[in-house]
């Protein structure tokens, strides 16, 4: 992997920086935990209420907002069943599945760094 050059005479936030692009899509506080829990679930699928229980500290409003954004950005798929009450399941899309190995790499790097600090 070659090192990418940083722009020297322009604002990096006004360039096509892949890292900034990725962080714009998934850098929000709750999106990574949501993706992580879905990826760790059986068949990479969780119901709304299961996500609500697993992502400790998130409000229902924020969970709904993040799920809508993740669906809009094609990281997850939403499937609604016509039951009473309605059942909604979220699963990783193909795009979401391609993100998981990168997240695992970042996780492993951070885990090594945390252990080295002890």
């Amino acid at each position: 992997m070659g090192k990418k050059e940083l722009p020297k005479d322009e604002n990096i936030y006004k360039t096509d920086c892949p890292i900034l692009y990725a962080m714009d899509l998934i850098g929000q506080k709750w999106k990574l935990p949501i993706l992580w829990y879905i990826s760790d679930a059986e068949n990479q699928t969780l119901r709304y209420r299961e996500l609500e229980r697993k992502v400790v500290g998130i409000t229902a409003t924020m969970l709904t907002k993040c799920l809508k954004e993740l669906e809009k950005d094609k990281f997850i798929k939403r499937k609604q069943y016509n039951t009473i009450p309605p059942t909604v399941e979220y699963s990783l899309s193909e795009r979401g599945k391609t993100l998981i190995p990168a997240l695992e790499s970042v996780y492993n790097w951070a885990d090594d760094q945390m252990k080295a600090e002890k």
Side-chain angles (χ1 to χ4, degrees), residues 5-47:
E5 296 257 342
L6 293 173
K8 295 185 178 25
D9 298 325
E10 55 187 306
N11 182 339
I12 193 165
Y13 289 100
K14 294 183 180 178
T15 65
D16 289 332
C17 175
I19 293 292
L20 294 177
Y21 170 77
M23 295 310 293
D24 187 49
L25 292 173
I26 61 169
Q28 191 266 351
K29 178 179 180 178
W30 297 108
K31 288 182 181 178
L32 288 177
I34 291 168
L35 289 168
W36 202 253
Y37 281 117
I38 293 172
S39 74
D40 195 45
E42 187 177 329
N43 298 325
Q44 295 184 326
T45 300
L46 284 176
R47 291 183 176 177

Side-chain angles (χ1 to χ4, degrees), residues 69-117:
E69 289 174 4
L70 289 167
E71 184 182 15
K72 177 184 74 71
D73 292 330
K74 298 182 172 70
F75 287 106
I76 62 172
K77 296 182 287 186
R78 179 183 191 273
K79 185 172 185 177
Q80 182 169 334
Y81 297 92
N82 292 328
T83 60
I84 299 177
T87 301
V88 180
E89 291 181 340
Y90 295 92
S91 59
L92 291 179
S93 65
E94 289 306 312
R95 184 181 197 190
K97 289 175 185 177
T98 65
L99 178 61
I100 299 307
L103 293 179
E104 288 172 343
S105 292
V106 172
Y107 177 93
N108 290 332
W109 174 83
D111 188 46
D112 290 343
Q113 297 302 307
M114 290 168 61
K115 288 175 183 170
E117 289 180 2

